[in-house]
Amino acid sequence: RVYVTRAAPRRSGARRGPKAAATRYYGPFVDGKHLRRTMDVIQRLFPLRQRAVPVFSDRPCLNYDIGRCPGCCQRRIGQDEYSATLKMAEMVLQGRGQVLAKDWRREMKDASLDENFERAAELRDRVAMLESCEEAVFDDAAEASHVANLDEGYSQDVVAAVASAGREKTVCVQLFKVRAGRIVNRLAFSFVSANVAVGGTGDDEQGDEDVAMAIQSALEQHYDQCVHWSELPEEIVSSEILPDEELLKAFIASKYEDLTATSEDAALDDAVPAHRPFSSKKFSVKLKTVRIQAASRRSKKRSETKAAYYQGLINMAGNNAAFEVDRLNRSDAQLTLELDDLRHILETAFPPPHPSSGPIHRIECFDISHTSGQLPYASRAVFLAGVPAPSLYRRYKIAPENSSLGNPDDFASIHEAISRRFRTHAPPADALPDVLVIDGGKGQLSAALSALSDLGIPRDAMRVVGLAKREEEVFIEGRSEAINDVRGVSPGVRLLCRVRDEAHRFALAAHRHARGRAAKTGM
């Protein structure tokens, strides 16, 4: 995101959440690693203001000395020059880095002819660093433009979908954002449908329509979240014929008009080179007639080379979607195996007449984290159908009387956390779990069972187990020995370990945060 509320805007990374006013957002990025790499390159290439509040009042900080900040706080740079730097940084975030790379190559060539080799080497390094943010579709971006007979800087969004064959039919959609022949971002969407045809093709006409509908839904969702006109493509290449292309075209055109009406780029246009293929004038003309190409639709106007280019893009996106489908299928099969094995293990301890026996859907785990009893926190991790549900995670700050510095009491802490959790258990967020896991041995398990008894919750309302570390032993009430075979970790116990590890991570994060805050405040 780029803050635009001040004379010298600064940039920072942002996660999902409410969007602040007077702030431009770019993305979403594929993952955090990609985002951090892009931000690092921008920080090296385009020195921008780093801090919201200056460190010193009479001199710039170390960031200025190492070339990471232009010294805005001490007015070491003019407003026009800073605006030009900011504009170029935003061009990279918009996927228009190749425009800058071309300008730098031209300047590098001129510097070499003038025998200014130091400047030429600096520009060479800047071009290499800029291109490290992007992934080429072809070995050379010029080759891509030549093969497809497209203008330099042409923008395309390539989308393909494949359907899975798991317990729930899921359509995986992959969207590639291609700018000047380079992939600048990749996005993934998933939609659940009961009628999709496995693999995206077949005799099921309704299934094929659902695959196409999933693609259109993904495009509409993505374009609705765009915050800058340059994120909208001049052309969309789809693996399927969309059910309502005209509606999508009208939606994109309307979105473009809204974004250009509120864009502040006009004030900065003079700061970038005049020969920019992504200028707003050219883009608006092309966008009013945005093209949607379906690879499956034959066209006499499409040359063989362009058809091959489109098919190559679709194949790449389709391969990514197929990999995602394969991952989902493997994950689905593994989860089924783990849940069935866990059910088998627990049925030996809680036979079918047990009221809580049956399929396992919701698993909860509790863990305690502290340092010698100081700043104790309990956590609740929740898995639904073997998958983490972070929105249902909870933290509990333990009262000092139950655990304090030099007097840690995990049993009392577990008793308090379980009491607070099951004091009210209204569905869906706080519904009773099928399996309640306590991180610890027999002592922690007894403390949890005592808390449930104090609340009047029947013992057969759920299956309560303790998971001891070291040997990964599973204990239940009334049994002195573990109910699982400790000679090897079975798939069901492995699932319990994953839930336990999540609860441990969540509790440890809460404790470390409180400990760091206490260290800063001296409390």
Side-chain angles (χ1 to χ4, degrees):
R1 59 187 172 189
V2 177
Y3 299 96
V4 295
T5 54
R6 302 188 179 187
R10 64 187 180 95
R11 58 92 196 111
S12 72
R15 296 182 180 271
R16 297 181 185 273
K19 296 183 178 181
T23 303
R24 299 176 194 163
Y25 289 83
Y26 297 97
F29 287 81
V30 180
D31 52 31
K33 182 178 180 181
H34 185 199
L35 171 61
R36 288 189 293 271
R37 184 172 67 246
T38 302
M39 296 293 285
D40 181 67
V41 169
I42 290 177
Q43 189 177 30
R44 292 172 181 270
L45 291 178
F46 313 106
L48 297 174
R49 185 168 66 91
Q50 302 293 313
R51 302 177 184 274
V53 179
V55 179
F56 308 106
S57 60
D58 57 344
R59 60 185 175 88
C61 63
L62 184 62
N63 285 322
Y64 175 79
D65 296 325
I66 64 176
R68 296 296 182 90
C69 178
C72 302
C73 58
Q74 303 301 322
R75 302 187 182 280
R76 302 290 179 91
I77 185 174
Q79 180 63 40
D80 294 340
E81 184 180 355
Y82 188 87
S83 297
T85 303
L86 177 64
K87 179 67 175 180
M88 289 187 288
E90 290 189 283
M91 289 174 69
V92 176
L93 293 173
Q94 296 161 5
R96 302 156 62 191
Q98 286 304 304
V99 179
L100 295 176
K102 181 181 179 182
D103 295 333
W104 288 344
R105 288 193 187 96
R106 183 184 295 106
E107 188 177 348
M108 178 177 64
K109 184 176 180 180
D110 295 340
S112 299
L113 294 176
D114 294 339
E115 299 185 357
N116 188 355
F117 300 115
E118 291 184 358
R119 175 60 176 168
E122 178 187 351
L123 291 169
R124 177 202 60 197
D125 295 340
R126 290 170 70 88
V127 171
M129 192 179 303
L130 181 61
E131 291 181 340
S132 68
C133 289
E134 302 171 348
E135 179 180 350
V137 175
F138 292 86
D139 292 337
D140 190 340
E143 178 186 350
S145 299
H146 174 71
V147 170
N149 193 26
L150 302 174
D151 295 334
E152 179 187 2
Y154 197 72
S155 63
Q156 295 172 301
D157 281 359
V158 182
V159 61
V162 177
S164 70
R167 288 174 297 175
E168 292 183 332
K169 299 299 186 296
T170 303
V171 183
C172 298
V173 182
Q174 289 282 326
L175 175 63
F176 285 7
K177 301 185 76 64
V178 183
R179 301 295 183 265
R182 288 182 172 270
I183 297 176
V184 299
N185 205 354
R186 286 180 285 188
L187 303 174
F189 305 84
S190 295
F191 299 90
V192 177
S193 173
N195 300 316
V196 296
V198 176
T201 59
D203 299 330
D204 190 343
E205 182 178 349
Q206 179 62 39
D208 291 340
E209 291 179 358
D210 285 349
V211 171
M213 182 62 71
I215 292 178
Q216 176 138 353
S217 298
L219 294 175
E220 291 174 355
Q221 287 183 23
H222 171 62
Y223 297 135
D224 187 49
Q225 297 175 0
C226 291
V227 296
H228 195 274
W229 57 263
S230 64
E231 297 179 59
L232 301 174
E234 299 172 62
E235 182 177 58
I236 298 172
V237 183
S238 171
S239 63
E240 305 290 336
I241 298 177
L242 301 184
D244 201 337
E245 293 184 1
E246 296 303 322
L247 177 64
L248 183 60
K249 289 180 182 180
F251 175 76
I252 295 176
S254 174
K255 184 71 174 181
Y256 172 77
E257 296 296 335
D258 293 342
L259 293 177
T260 52
T262 59
S263 176
E264 300 179 8
D265 286 349
L268 301 177
D269 275 348
D270 295 336
V272 297
H275 44 80
R276 53 188 187 278
F278 274 87
S279 64
S280 57
K281 180 178 179 181
K282 173 183 177 182
F283 195 87
S284 63
V285 172
K286 289 190 176 284
L287 192 60
K288 288 179 181 178
T289 56
V290 61
R291 289 180 288 275
I292 300 179
Q293 303 284 353
S296 58
R297 180 191 293 135
R298 296 185 177 274
S299 174
K300 296 181 179 180
K301 297 181 180 180
R302 188 183 304 167
S303 64
E304 292 184 4
T305 54
K306 182 175 289 190
Y309 171 75
Y310 287 150
Q311 193 59 49
L313 294 175
I314 288 295
N315 289 341
M316 279 191 295
N319 288 339
N320 269 34
F323 285 139
E324 180 66 14
V325 164
D326 185 57
R327 185 190 69 80
L328 289 176
N329 288 339
R330 290 199 308 270
S331 176
D332 187 72
Q334 181 65 23
L335 286 177
T336 301
L337 174 64
E338 292 175 346
L339 290 170
D340 290 344
D341 184 66
L342 178 60
R343 180 180 178 182
H344 174 73
I345 293 174
L346 294 180
E347 280 183 351
T348 62
F350 305 95
H354 194 278
S356 64
S357 62
I360 297 174
H361 177 70
R362 180 174 179 134
I363 304 175
E364 293 188 13
C365 182
F366 283 79
D367 189 22
I368 305 295
S369 181
H370 57 80
T371 301
S372 298
Q374 186 180 28
L375 300 173
Y377 274 83
S379 68
R380 179 187 81 177
V382 181
F383 276 45
L384 301 178
V387 179
S391 63
L392 299 179
Y393 288 11
R394 296 292 184 270
R395 294 188 178 107
Y396 303 90
K397 185 177 181 180
I398 302 302
E401 56 267 21
N402 290 327
S403 185
S404 58
L405 181 62
N407 185 32
D409 191 341
D410 285 356
F411 303 151
S413 300
I414 284 288
H415 189 284
E416 178 187 341
I418 295 297
S419 299
R420 292 167 61 183
R421 156 65 179 96
F422 291 100
R423 192 170 297 153
T424 57
H425 44 271
D430 292 325
L432 290 177
D434 300 308
V435 179
L436 176 61
V437 184
I438 305 300
D439 182 20
K442 303 173 187 177
Q444 286 86 347
L445 176 61
S446 298
L449 292 170
S450 174
L452 293 174
S453 297
D454 293 344
L455 293 173
I457 297 177
R459 297 292 179 88
D460 56 5
M462 69 192 83
R463 288 160 279 190
V464 185
V465 301
L467 181 60
K469 297 185 177 71
R470 190 175 299 174
E471 300 294 337
E472 308 297 2
E473 297 173 303
V474 180
F475 294 97
I476 66 170
E477 182 184 17
R479 294 274 293 269
S480 60
E481 301 295 331
I483 64 173
N484 62 313
D485 187 353
V486 297
R487 291 174 295 180
V489 179
S490 65
V493 176
R494 192 178 300 116
L495 174 59
L496 293 182
C497 291
R498 275 209 313 277
V499 184
R500 187 268 315 278
D501 293 343
E502 270 293 275
H504 178 72
R505 178 194 64 81
F506 202 57
L508 187 61
H511 169 66
R512 285 177 173 172
H513 178 73
R515 190 174 60 190
R517 186 174 53 193
K520 291 179 181 179
T521 59
M523 297 177 61

